[in-house]
Amino acid sequence: REELAALLSEEVGDRAGGWDLAGAIPLETLRRLGTEGVLCAEVPAEFGGRGLSGLDNGELTAHAGTLCSSLRSVMTSQGMAAWTIQRFGTREQRAKELAALTRGDLAAVAFSEPQAGSDLSAIATTVVDDGDSVVLNGHKVWSTASAYADVLVVFGRYQDGAAAVLVPTRAPGVTVRPVPQPLGCRAAGHADVLLDDVRLPATRVLSGASVSLGLLTTIALTYGRLSVAWGCVGIIRACLTAAATHARAREQFGKPLAEHQLVARHLAEMYVAEQTATRLCEHASGCWDSRSAELSGASVLAKHAAAGHAAHAASAAVQILASAGSVDGGTVARAYRDAKLMQIIEGSEEICQLILAERALERVT
Ligand code: FAD
């Protein structure tokens, strides 16, 4: 893990602000990280991956989050795609497709549609058998990393259930339209994807059979939630470092900002946020590594809490840096925009709360 973290630090350097302003990460950077297996480091060694545990992959993801949330978002997408292939692919599909993802191919995941946001049961994309082929039609929105991707994991209706299909972005009928000027994670390659009579070999359907849509999305989203939660830990850590550094160095009213108690309270709250989010992520990753039945709930809890803490911590950091933090592309200004989006993706605040409320109610049944 240390070696991969050092590679991330070296590749990002001081470039994250520039990528944010430009709205893109250089493709060669992503390819290099992909080839080293950093973008989906949990893929087992037997498939060419780094075979990191959930906990180590989580800390690596947090490290990426301290450096650049756009890059961390690309990691989340690549990891979620790899996990979906690992979980649902046949032996042949796992061997071929996971090897590609650890050799530099880039992947994205496409669930959301214009009428299927929080409610994924409304997915309308169709996957229809036609001899040895399948034909896809649909409209996906806001797919992170799609603008960079070689392959999309597309979720659609198939036979009497659903399927995830590996769709090359270069296949005829696929149009990738980048989302113009997203609020945050501006260099994460968000794009809408149009699928117009996309004909592919039937071997591109993961598992080759239909599965329940709820199972498919829950399993993929569990990886995504855990990854986003760790990414939020990274945002909080970056904000805490920036705020504490500034509060020590900057003097007003004859003493460092840190010695003004109202500023110190912001720092204390950010520290609590970092510790709390980290512990919840460690717990959820522990559930992942031990294949605990608690995993699904633990990942929702970690994502919900970490995203909320990241949004508050980023806001507090901008407050402490004040004019010095109010520069577009700067660490805390980026964090402020990026963190807000973490409260929307992989289950919004409200959707997470509904799931957590169910857990609360289970206690008295
Ligand atoms: P809506 O579902 O329309 O919700 C609008 C508001 O209503 C929200 O606040 C929501 O919480 C609330 N709401 C909805 N239903 C309820 C309810 N039952 N009770 C209470 N409140 C409710 N999608 C992908 O497929 N792949 C990706 O890689 C991806 N990446 C993304 C990255 C970013 C930065 C963003 C912003 C989005 C991304 N998405 C992606 C889409 C994302 O999953 C959806 O935006 C998210 O699920 C919310 O859907 P929506 O935006 O349509 O909002």
Side-chain angles (χ1 to χ4, degrees), residues 177-319:
R177 286 194 187 143
V179 173
Q181 297 174 324
L183 170 67
C185 298
R186 288 176 177 167
H190 302 116
D192 294 354
V193 180
L194 303 176
L195 303 161
D196 184 12
D197 277 336
V198 179
R199 179 175 291 274
L200 299 169
T203 51
R204 304 299 289 175
V205 177
L206 286 182
S207 88
S210 83
V211 290
S212 128
L213 179 63
L215 180 76
L216 196 58
T217 53
T218 302
I219 285 179
L221 281 173
T222 296
Y223 182 97
R225 286 171 176 153
L226 201 40
S227 181
V228 166
W230 277 109
C232 289
V233 168
I235 291 177
I236 303 168
R237 290 178 184 167
C239 287
L240 187 49
T241 301
T245 305
H246 188 75
R248 269 197 198 283
R250 166 91 171 156
E251 290 194 3
Q252 285 293 280
F253 301 97
K255 58 184 180 181
L257 292 176
E259 291 179 23
H260 296 288
Q261 288 186 340
L262 291 177
V263 175
R265 183 170 69 180
H266 280 308
L267 292 172
E269 285 174 355
M270 291 167 78
Y271 178 72
V272 170
E274 192 269 336
Q275 290 291 306
T276 309
T278 302
R279 296 292 95 77
L280 287 173
C281 285
E282 285 171 350
H283 172 66
S285 288
C287 290
W288 179 284
D289 287 332
S290 63
R291 298 169 197 267
S292 159
E294 257 190 79
L295 170 62
S296 171
S299 67
V300 174
L301 177 58
K303 189 270 167 185
H304 177 63
H309 282 310
H312 285 115
S315 174
V318 173
Q319 196 68 27

Side-chain angles (χ1 to χ4, degrees), residues 77 80 109-114 116-119 141-144 184-185 190 341-342 344-351 354:
S77 296
M80 193 168 18
V109 176
F111 308 95
S112 305
E113 299 181 359
S118 300
D119 181 10
V141 295
W142 273 98
S143 172
T144 302
C185 298
H190 302 116
L341 297 187
M342 299 307 110
I344 295 171
I345 62 169
E346 316 293 357
S348 64
E349 289 291 276
E350 292 76 12
I351 296 302
L354 291 175

